[in-house]
């Protein structure tokens, strides 16, 4: 359905644009990813593979490698020692 890979490229561009924005504006990443139990502290972008056509699946594939570094939040609400 995507013979030229254009739709794939548009989807990947949206993903990488968001990751790049979160890398630059860490507060936005924290707001989007933080939960009551997790503090998102840092996003590291490590690269990717570039677009390739997988003949077996008849699909465009690409990987983007990134890490979200953070910490679990602990609450001392129990009476256990």
């Amino acid at each position: 359905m995507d013979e030229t890979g254009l739709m794939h490229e548009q989807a990947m561009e949206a993903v990488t644009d968001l990751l790049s924005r979160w890398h630059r504006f860490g507060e936005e990443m924290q707001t989007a990813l933080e939960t009551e139990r997790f503090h998102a502290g840092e996003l590291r972008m490590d690269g990717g593979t570039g677009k390739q056509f997988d003949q077996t699946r008849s699909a465009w594939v690409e990987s983007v490698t990134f890490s979200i570094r953070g910490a679990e939040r602990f609450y001392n609400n129990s009476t256990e020692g």
Side-chain angles (χ1 to χ4, degrees), residues 70-81:
E72 184 175 3
R73 292 183 173 161
F74 297 98
Y75 298 96
N76 191 4
N77 294 334
S78 71
T79 57
E80 297 176 19

Side-chain angles (χ1 to χ4, degrees), residues 52-64:
Q52 301 171 4
F53 190 77
D54 183 333
Q55 296 286 348
T56 304
R57 295 186 285 176
S58 295
W60 294 101
V61 296
E62 187 167 352
S63 69
V64 175

Side-chain angles (χ1 to χ4, degrees), residues 4 6 12-13 15-16 18 20 23 25-26 28 40 43 53 55 57-59 68 71 81:
T4 64
L6 180 61
M12 288 304 298
E13 187 173 329
V15 170
T16 57
L18 178 60
S20 182
H23 186 255
F25 302 105
E28 289 184 21
L43 182 141
F53 190 77
Q55 296 286 348
R57 295 186 285 176
S58 295
I68 305 289

Side-chain angles (χ1 to χ4, degrees), residues 30-74:
Q30 289 172 340
T31 300
L33 301 180
E34 286 203 13
T35 68
E36 185 176 308
R37 303 282 317 247
F38 179 72
H39 167 73
E42 175 185 33
L43 182 141
R44 185 178 81 192
M45 299 174 65
D46 297 318
T49 62
K51 176 178 76 170
Q52 301 171 4
F53 190 77
D54 183 333
Q55 296 286 348
T56 304
R57 295 186 285 176
S58 295
W60 294 101
V61 296
E62 187 167 352
S63 69
V64 175
T65 307
F66 64 95
S67 302
I68 305 289
R69 186 173 165 164
E72 184 175 3
R73 292 183 173 161
F74 297 98

